[in-house]
Amino acid sequence: MAKLRAALIGATGLAGQQFIAALRNHPFIELTGLAASPRSAGKSYGDALRTANGMTAWFVPEPLAPEVARMPVVSGDALKAQDYDLVFSAVEADVARELEPRLAKDIPVFSAASAFRYEDDVPLLIPPVNASHAPLVREQQRRRGWKGFIVPSPNCTTTGLAVTLAPLAERFGVKAVLMTSLQAMSGAGRSPGVIGMDILDNVIPYIPKEEQKVEVETKKILGALNAGGSALTPHDVRVSCTCTRVAVLEGHTESVFVSLGTKATVAEVIQTMREWRGAEVARDLPSTPSRWIEVLDDPFRPQPRLDRETHGGMATTVGRVREDGVLENGFKYVLVSHNTKMGAARGSILVAEQLRAQGLLGR
């Protein structure tokens, strides 16, 4: 069977590079088109990455495949939907708001941008958590008159939090969550990114719009799709967070305090996380890890440098699970989640794999 033909917009940026690395040798998706800004259009991808001083600005650990380096780059405005089966988008929100709907009129768009996350007819999918929300894309198509659809991935900080809350919500219920994040520099991208002189020897205590994203998105992800598949009801969990930036390259660390709906023991909370398999449709996808959550007993773990690559960067690692004496039925723990893998490119590819398994994507 022929592979699905995928285009990538925002191909030269850090997020775009993560998509390229993740799609190499994919079993049923082939990257056949690259789009970027007008200054890169008309060049080969390798030439588009080359800076004025001769450096090749390829920033992910995986090597750039020679066949990708030779691929031509077109302007995002020139990309033609009829040439592809789906699109991955790694552009900023303002660009996404213009480009993505034009393409979604004809083919599915899987986006790392925030532009459409909060639309009523747009599901915000993490496959093991809320694969059941996927049929909302049919409502999106109906309302907008599109052949395709837009499915954005959640904010990278939300992802690890939602993954760890999902099994607790299923077994015990969750009433309230307090979270403080220590977020990696890569989450800000490279342009403009985080200036080294600002982040070294420092913690930046504010990331614009981040806290609101986490609070709104967590409720949407843990919510419920109605019987007709036409509307989502957000979860009634109360979420409050503080998001900070630290001098770590990859991997978001989060300190989480959660009030459960019923009483539990530390052993039960740990067992629930360890045994959670997530939605059935997400269990055997090409990008699915052997376990969604790893719980460590070492009180000095998780650490981003040691644990961000767990199961290829697709698992969330948890440690320091303890009772909390302030919140009702309270527990607290620390998590590490890979922000540019599960929280961005690979997570978005996982969503495409899920929709194909559900019969909502292409041939």
Side-chain angles (χ1 to χ4, degrees):
M1 181 180 292
K3 290 186 176 183
L4 296 170
R5 302 163 300 166
L8 171 65
I9 55 176
T12 57
L14 181 57
Q17 293 178 23
Q18 288 283 1
F19 273 103
I20 290 171
L23 285 168
R24 189 175 189 185
N25 299 321
H26 194 279
F28 59 78
I29 300 174
E30 182 180 5
L31 187 61
T32 59
L34 299 175
S37 64
R39 68 175 178 271
S40 298
K43 301 177 182 178
S44 69
Y45 185 68
D47 286 344
L49 292 178
R50 197 159 293 116
T51 64
N53 63 5
M55 179 182 74
T56 298
W58 176 258
F59 296 112
V60 298
E62 296 86 351
L64 174 61
E67 62 271 20
V68 176
R70 292 191 294 267
M71 288 178 64
V73 179
V74 301
S75 170
D77 293 333
L79 203 67
K80 296 180 180 179
Q82 62 264 32
D83 294 333
Y84 306 98
D85 300 303
L86 70 156
V87 172
F88 292 107
S89 174
V91 295
E92 296 295 329
D94 56 342
V95 179
R97 189 158 289 280
E98 297 296 324
L99 275 181
E100 291 179 1
R102 179 176 67 81
L103 295 165
K105 289 178 181 178
D106 296 296
I107 56 175
V109 176
F110 297 91
S111 175
S114 64
F116 294 93
R117 286 179 188 157
Y118 312 113
E119 304 280 338
D120 290 342
D121 58 354
V122 175
L124 198 54
L125 298 177
I126 302 175
V129 177
N130 63 342
S132 61
H133 293 185
L136 189 60
V137 300
R138 295 303 191 208
E139 176 68 10
Q140 184 187 142
Q141 291 172 319
R142 186 190 68 79
R143 289 189 191 181
R144 303 180 186 227
W146 291 350
K147 296 178 182 177
F149 49 77
I150 296 172
V151 177
S153 55
N155 174 274
C156 53
T157 313
T158 306
T159 298
L161 179 63
V163 166
T164 60
L165 291 177
L168 302 181
E170 289 174 12
R171 181 170 178 183
F172 309 108
V174 292
K175 291 182 175 180
V177 179
L178 304 173
M179 185 273 283
T180 298
S181 68
L182 296 87
Q183 295 180 214
M185 295 169 64
S186 57
R190 294 190 63 92
S191 178
V194 181
I195 299 172
M197 287 292 288
D198 290 345
I199 194 69
L200 291 175
D201 191 33
N202 206 7
V203 174
I204 299 174
Y206 175 60
I207 303 172
K209 301 181 181 180
E210 195 80 354
E211 292 158 4
Q212 182 183 14
K213 290 177 182 178
V214 174
E215 293 168 6
V216 173
E217 292 177 21
T218 301
K219 294 167 72 71
K220 184 172 184 177
I221 291 164
L222 297 179
L225 185 67
N226 69 6
S230 61
L232 279 170
T233 301
H235 197 286
D236 60 4
V237 63
R238 303 187 304 279
V239 183
S240 178
C241 60
T242 297
C243 295
T244 75
R245 188 80 68 193
V246 298
V248 170
L249 180 61
E250 299 269 22
H252 288 351
T253 302
E254 301 174 25
S255 174
V256 182
F257 295 72
V258 57
S259 173
L260 300 181
T262 60
K263 290 185 179 297
T265 65
V266 169
E268 288 172 334
V269 169
I270 291 174
Q271 180 187 32
T272 297
M273 287 188 177
R274 281 180 171 159
E275 294 181 354
W276 185 67
R277 298 184 63 201
E280 185 173 359
V281 71
R283 293 176 188 172
D284 296 306
L285 303 173
S287 299
T288 296
S290 57
R291 185 175 290 165
W292 295 108
I293 302 173
E294 287 287 358
V295 184
L296 305 180
D297 296 322
D298 185 337
F300 291 91
R301 304 279 287 275
Q303 299 176 24
R305 190 170 64 182
L306 299 177
D307 299 305
R308 60 194 171 207
E309 294 289 348
T310 300
H311 302 317
M314 295 298 286
T316 300
T317 305
V318 170
R320 302 207 66 211
V321 181
R322 297 152 288 154
E323 289 187 9
D324 175 74
V326 175
L327 298 176
E328 181 184 7
N329 302 326
F331 288 86
K332 51 193 174 185
Y333 56 90
V334 178
L335 70 83
V336 166
S337 178
H338 202 303
N339 55 296
T340 62
K341 291 189 176 179
M342 180 59 177
R346 292 179 191 270
S348 191
I349 294 166
L350 182 73
V351 172
E353 295 168 357
Q354 172 206 313
L355 265 64
R356 178 178 180 269
Q358 292 173 304
L360 295 168
L361 175 64
R363 53 182 185 270

